[in-house]
Structure formats: C-alpha cells, structure tokens
Amino acid sequence: MKTIDTLVDDIYEVVKTRGGWDAAITEYFSSVLADVFRERLENDAVERTGAIRMSAMGRPCKRQLWYDNNTPDDGESLPATALLKFLYGDMVEGLILSLAKAAGHEVRGEQSTLRVGSVEGHRDAVIDGITVDVKSAAPFSFQKFRNGLTPETDGFGYLGQLKSYVIAGHAADPTVNSAIGAFLAVDKVSGEICLDKHVFHETMEDLEREYAET
C-alpha cells in the first residue's frame, strides 16, 4: 500500500509516463471541473452566507473575522481578475487530486462537510489517511510551503485552517489521522509540487475553546 510520503514522486511519474490515468480518472476529473464551473460561473449557484467558516478561523486578524461575519455585504466586490484566479486555482487543485488517484493513492472525503460547534468547513481531501489541503500557489508563496510553512511566514492563517480540518476530520471519521495534516502545494508557474506536513497536538476540546474565544 502506498503512503503519502511518495505522493509527489508518484504524481510526477504519472505525468511523465502517462501511467495510471484511465477512463475512470478522466470521468472523475470531468466531474470535478463540472463542480468548479457550477460553483464559480453558473448564475443560479447558491452563494455562501456571511457566517464564519472554518477556512477563516486561522486568520491572524480577528477584527476581519468580525466584519466578515457581521457585515458581509459592506466590503468591495472582488474584481474579475481575482475571480478568474480563483477559478483556475480550483481547476489546478482538481487536477492534482486526479493525478494522486491515478498514481494509486487513496483519495477520499473530497469537500466533506466538517463541523466544530456551529462552524462549518469543507476540507479538500484525505489522501492515504492524511488530511490534505491542496494549494495552487504563485512562486513566492510556493517557496513558503517548500521550506515548511511556519507561523511567521503564514500570513493567511493556513496552519489554523489545516489544524481545524485535521481535528474535525478525525472527529467525524476516526480512520483519518488525528494529528497529521499536509499541504500539497503546486507552483502554477513552474509546475513543481511539494508536500508540507505538519503535526498538531490540540484536541477537539482545545479547538472548541479556541473558537469560542475568537
């Protein structure tokens, strides 16, 4: 059975040799793309409310959290360039998960709903029993993951997000590792991929207390 430690090399091997990608993977990737386009482009897609989500809980600025939750309509709309960036970022992330499946790794739990109290979130996936957050990154940001993201270099609260997904994911499914999570980052310019693993020692009780204090 493969482990997540060989994931990056195995993905490269699929791309290099065209091995492992078959009709089932093509169908899977097509469904991922359909979901991305539906959420990002269809005019009748359900928009998310201003309620705080798990992906926001790691942000270093608590004031921003308050405004996001209490005055979600007061901010400026995102420009088309930013929305397009998010769109192709989602497409790249779907491709990486598809390549992981083609490489023979177990990929499950994609976009599963997780909860910590009343706060909901959606993880990217569980690969080989490890919670994984896929990141499509510009070269500068990619270097942070390749060097190992730290609280000092984590300007967007990604570590807090990953911690939440790891702990809540294990609470929902005990077969998911209770302490280890990883960022699977891809440099969208060079095509380089890296796996940045982290260990979290907090419990669900710790996380619930942290959320309540926030």
Side-chain angles (χ1 to χ4, degrees):
M1 178 182 292
K2 292 190 175 183
T3 70
I4 200 169
D5 294 321
T6 66
L7 178 60
V8 172
D9 287 339
D10 292 341
I11 288 176
Y12 286 152
E13 189 67 16
V14 171
V15 175
K16 185 169 63 175
T17 67
R18 302 186 183 184
W21 191 291
D22 56 19
I25 303 298
T26 296
E27 183 176 353
Y28 171 82
F29 183 46
S30 298
S31 69
V32 170
L33 290 182
D35 288 342
V36 168
F37 296 146
R38 186 178 300 112
E39 179 177 346
R40 294 287 185 184
L41 295 177
E42 286 189 10
N43 57 19
D44 60 348
V46 177
E47 293 188 7
R48 293 176 178 173
T49 67
I52 292 179
R53 300 185 62 78
M54 201 177 291
S55 58
M57 293 303 292
R59 292 176 184 169
C61 180
K62 304 308 179 186
R63 186 180 181 88
Q64 182 183 1
L65 279 177
W66 188 93
Y67 280 114
D68 287 348
N69 188 50
N70 292 279
T71 58
D73 298 323
D74 288 354
E76 295 182 2
S77 298
L78 291 172
T81 52
L83 295 173
L84 182 59
K85 178 178 66 175
F86 296 148
L87 172 61
Y88 66 69
D90 287 345
M91 294 168 63
V92 170
E93 291 165 11
L95 172 61
I96 293 301
L97 289 179
S98 300
L99 287 168
K101 290 178 72 74
H105 290 263
E106 181 192 48
V107 180
R108 59 187 173 95
E110 299 95 312
Q111 296 301 316
S112 293
T113 300
L114 304 175
R115 293 179 178 84
V116 177
S118 61
V119 179
E120 287 191 358
H122 295 85
R123 69 183 170 205
D124 284 344
V126 175
I127 301 180
D128 302 327
I130 304 295
T131 298
V132 171
D133 199 7
V134 185
K135 297 295 186 187
S136 171
F140 177 77
S141 297
F142 177 80
Q143 292 300 321
K144 297 180 180 180
F145 293 110
R146 189 168 69 173
N147 295 334
L149 196 65
T150 67
E152 292 72 28
T153 60
D154 181 18
F156 294 98
Y158 291 148
L159 287 169
Q161 295 173 24
L162 183 61
K163 177 178 68 176
S164 294
Y165 296 145
V166 168
I167 295 172
H170 175 72
D173 179 2
T175 66
V176 176
N177 192 288
S178 63
I180 300 174
F183 297 107
L184 183 58
V186 54
D187 185 326
K188 53 192 174 185
V189 174
S190 70
E192 185 177 358
I193 307 170
C194 72
L195 187 73
D196 179 20
K197 293 170 67 176
H198 295 268
V199 178
F200 303 101
H201 302 288
E202 293 87 346
T203 65
M204 177 60 85
E205 290 74 18
D206 296 328
L207 195 59
E208 290 173 342
R209 189 180 307 113
E210 178 182 324
Y211 276 29
E213 292 172 353
T214 301

